[in-house]
Amino acid sequence: MSNAIATDRAANRLGSLFMIAAMAGFAVEDAFLKAAARDLPISQVMVLFGAGGAMAFALWLRSQSLPLAPREVLSRPMQVRVFFEIFGRLFFTLSLALTPLSSTTVILQATPLVVVGFAALVLGERVGWRRWLAIAIGLAGVVIVVRPGGDSFSLLSLLAVGGMLGFAGRDLASRAAPASLSTAVLGLYGFLAIVVAGALYGVLWEQVPFHTPPPEALLMVVGAVVCGVGAYSALMRAMRTGEVSAVTPFRYSRLLFGVALGVLVFGEQMDAMMLLGCGLIVLSGLFIMVRKRRVSAQAND
């Protein structure tokens, strides 16, 4: 028994390290995209980034002799997932390019809270009053970060909220997606959705012609693709190595990396209200994780 416990603990520690590495990779990816958008149209950044990621996942699938377009990708949940992926990626990338990286990262952490709320309202999952209260507190943290009505409020702050809602819808649709679809297939179509989002934004709104990327900007996009694919791989390893309940809380390490990059690389500042909102979001998310684990344990007794 003691050997089994030691093995479980070792797996959880390793899984936690993979999760932290994944969150660091995603944070660096965000920083690369923000830097690339300084020298390239936002739509071009999205198209190049999405195409690079899609190519990487396509090669991944072909190396395993897996189909690129299984029949299940046409299912209704996948259609809904792609829609929300386009919506979320568009607003999230705009937020990265036009607003501080630190605030965008903070607001993104509210995604799990919205997923739980949507799951209760749409899928009929049972959510008790304690978790509803935690969701409300976490969303209050988002309001504190956005600060509507304050002197520092900008409508651009709502871009991150739109991205967060899009990702929440994507994650919820992923729950209903056919289980036969591999994570690599989901990654492939997720990156293809970024290409579509960038193309739509370029044609319908930005309307700036693409041009040959400067070497620095191209390097930033390539760096974002490498970090994104590497982070995705680390995330999958984390979820398959340790217990979900043990490794999932380390998702919030992305907040530390994102804020640190925003402050150190882009010269952003964190004030007391930002820290307060950040704390409410993280504590609410952690409470929901712990509460869900406790409720599941009681149901299995």
Side-chain angles (χ1 to χ4, degrees), residues 53-77:
M55 185 179 301
F57 278 109
L59 292 174
W60 184 351
L61 288 167
R62 296 310 300 161
S63 68
Q64 300 179 11
S65 300
L66 296 174
L68 300 181
R71 184 171 52 188
E72 291 82 0
V73 299
L74 297 177
S75 63
R76 184 61 178 274

Side-chain angles (χ1 to χ4, degrees), residues 51-224:
M55 185 179 301
F57 278 109
L59 292 174
W60 184 351
L61 288 167
R62 296 310 300 161
S63 68
Q64 300 179 11
S65 300
L66 296 174
L68 300 181
R71 184 171 52 188
E72 291 82 0
V73 299
L74 297 177
S75 63
R76 184 61 178 274
M78 275 297 293
Q79 295 175 16
V80 174
R81 186 183 189 276
V82 169
F83 169 79
F84 278 110
E85 184 83 65
I86 293 173
F87 183 89
R89 282 290 187 173
L90 174 58
F91 280 91
F92 180 68
T93 306
L94 287 172
S95 181
L96 285 177
L98 302 175
T99 67
L101 174 62
S102 52
S103 61
T104 299
T105 304
V106 170
I107 293 173
L108 181 66
Q109 304 313 304
T111 301
L113 304 177
V114 178
V115 170
V116 173
F118 280 178
L121 297 174
V122 178
L123 300 181
E125 293 188 11
R126 293 186 59 184
V127 175
W129 67 270
R130 294 177 182 84
R131 280 188 282 174
W132 277 117
L133 179 60
I135 292 171
I137 292 173
L139 294 181
V142 173
V143 174
I144 290 174
V145 174
V146 175
R147 273 176 270 194
D151 294 336
S152 61
F153 172 71
S154 168
L155 286 175
L156 294 176
S157 302
L158 298 179
L159 292 172
V161 177
M164 180 265 291
L165 293 175
F167 287 154
R170 176 202 63 187
D171 292 348
L172 190 64
S174 297
R175 295 189 180 194
S180 59
L181 291 175
S182 67
T183 53
V185 170
L186 296 179
L188 169 62
Y189 285 90
F191 273 98
L192 288 176
I194 301 175
V195 176
V196 174
L200 289 175
Y201 178 67
V203 172
L204 300 179
W205 187 265
E206 194 173 35
Q207 297 181 348
V208 176
F210 289 4
H211 56 81
T212 302
E216 297 82 2
L218 184 59
L219 185 62
M220 293 298 162
V221 174
V222 172

Side-chain angles (χ1 to χ4, degrees), residues 8 10-16 18 236-243 247:
D8 290 343
N12 286 339
R13 282 196 296 269
L14 182 59
S16 299
F18 276 122
M236 295 302 101
R237 287 291 301 274
M239 301 304 291
R240 292 173 179 174
T241 300
E243 296 174 293
V247 303

Side-chain angles (χ1 to χ4, degrees), residues 32-44:
F32 275 138
L33 291 176
K34 183 175 182 66
R38 291 173 170 177
D39 300 316
L40 290 174
I42 297 174
S43 56
Q44 186 173 358

